[in-house]
Amino acid sequence: MKLKFSKMHGLGNDFVVLDGVRQQFSLTPEQLRYLGDRHFGVGCDQILVVEKPTRPGVDFRYRIFNADGGEVEQCGNGARCFVRFVHEQGLTGKPEILVETMKGVIAPRLEADGNVTVDMGIPRFLPEEIPFLNDDDSIIHHLDVADDTLEISVVSMGNPHAVNVVADVDGAPVGVQGPAIENHPRFPQRVNAGFMQVLDRHAIKLRVYERGAGETLACGTGACAAAVAGIRRGLLDSPVRVTTRGGDLSIAWGGAGCPVLMTGPAVTVFSGEIEL
Ligand SMILES: N[C@H](CCC[C@H](N)C(=O)O)C(=O)O
């Protein structure tokens, strides 16, 4: 079958975006891995699928697949590209849309300056909400990784995040500790591993070794999780500028029970067609 797609990115976290409203398809994990393959396919960190909603009161369904072919609950950079895509494709004229995901409804909004703001929902911290195998809900947990014991904070933005604070993010052992955290047995659904360097009370640098994709140039839900973890630890105050290798995001959070607001760019690089 021939599939039309758009290649997009949010700060270098890149996506193949598929219109599942006007195209009918069901992709196997092998086909998803082929789309994500940077040598034999199109190449991306995640594949994003736009579908009609399955519940009343929302505009679209948003499905996210990592480059390893696994479907996941949430993608923040992808949410910004999602609203840009549905506008560019003429699927909506509404500047703010409601979008259902595996773990709740998010609200991306096109801003007048070309950026996109997304209400990413309320972060969750209980071990069973991550999921993380632990007896209590504390702000810092100890995790034995490779030859170290890390102090991590766990946050769910719909998808799971383990955030640890480092002195120098550029020198952090992301390539070694990242996969060890991602696949740690205390995370039964694996986890995204964030490495955060605090610059001041309103600014951090962040690298994320993503579940199912490896280190990406930016991670939107990872930026939300890191800012929230830093605020909970008393290291940061909202709003937080999150500097990733791909550029800056702005994250705002009013505290427990409040949603996280993420603002940043969304770019369409090209559109194409592929035979699957
Ligand atoms: N790798 C993530 C999904 C993509 C998240 C990231 N690209 C973002 O912008 O939030 C996971 O398995 O939960």
Side-chain angles (χ1 to χ4, degrees):
M1 78 187 137
K2 275 189 184 299
L3 267 186
K4 290 182 171 47
F5 70 88
S6 286
K7 185 69 175 26
M8 303 184 75
H9 75 86
L11 300 177
N13 179 199
D14 64 341
F15 311 109
V16 168
V17 189
L18 301 170
D19 173 355
V21 175
R22 290 175 294 200
Q23 300 181 113
Q24 302 305 315
F25 55 86
S26 175
L27 299 176
T28 65
E30 292 74 23
Q31 290 172 319
L32 288 159
R33 285 191 287 271
Y34 169 62
L35 284 173
D37 191 302
R38 297 189 184 283
H39 300 286
F40 297 100
V42 178
C44 62
D45 295 322
Q46 280 89 29
I47 296 97
L48 312 180
V49 181
V50 180
E51 294 186 350
K52 291 178 182 166
T54 67
R55 53 195 281 188
V58 301
D59 300 293
F60 295 99
R61 184 186 185 196
Y62 168 31
R63 298 182 71 184
I64 302 121
F65 301 86
N66 281 321
D68 70 358
E71 184 166 10
V72 292
E73 310 90 342
Q74 193 54 270
C75 177
N77 288 323
R80 301 197 310 277
C81 291
F82 188 104
V83 69
R84 172 132 3 264
F85 178 83
V86 294
H87 268 263
E88 289 178 350
Q89 298 296 317
L91 289 169
T92 186
K94 297 164 66 173
E96 178 163 352
I97 57 174
L98 292 178
V99 176
E100 68 174 276
T101 69
M102 281 170 70
K103 283 279 190 75
V105 175
I106 59 171
R109 183 181 67 244
L110 288 177
E111 304 289 2
D113 65 2
N115 277 318
V116 179
T117 295
V118 190
D119 174 338
M120 292 295 295
I122 298 171
R124 305 292 176 190
F125 309 108
L126 296 177
E128 59 268 25
E129 292 174 312
I130 305 302
F132 175 54
L133 302 183
N134 201 69
D135 299 335
D136 65 1
D137 163 33
S138 47
I139 292 177
I140 292 177
H141 301 281
H142 292 88
L143 193 73
D144 293 329
V145 170
D147 300 330
D148 290 327
T149 297
L150 303 182
E151 292 188 344
I152 62 165
S153 294
V154 293
V155 182
S156 173
M157 292 304 303
N159 60 345
H161 290 270
V163 183
N164 76 111
V165 177
V166 295
D168 169 22
V169 75
D170 295 321
V174 174
V176 173
Q177 292 183 351
I181 298 167
E182 177 199 7
N183 298 291
H184 197 284
R186 291 177 67 188
F187 292 99
Q189 293 177 13
R190 297 185 295 161
V191 72
N192 299 284
F195 298 79
M196 163 170 88
Q197 177 184 344
V198 178
L199 302 176
D200 63 40
R201 293 195 65 83
H202 289 282
I204 62 173
K205 289 176 77 173
L206 178 70
R207 291 171 68 184
V208 181
Y209 190 92
E210 287 199 30
R211 175 180 62 172
E215 181 173 5
T216 57
L217 292 178
C219 179
T221 52
C224 295
V228 164
I231 291 168
R232 291 188 87 212
R233 288 191 184 198
L235 303 173
L236 299 173
D237 299 308
S238 179
V240 179
R241 187 187 74 241
V242 180
T243 297
T244 75
R245 290 190 151 179
D248 290 358
L249 286 169
S250 177
I251 308 296
W253 183 52
C258 295
V260 182
L261 299 182
M262 169 189 62
T263 300
V267 175
T268 298
V269 182
F270 68 92
S271 295
E273 198 170 62
I274 187 166
E275 183 71 38
L276 284 181

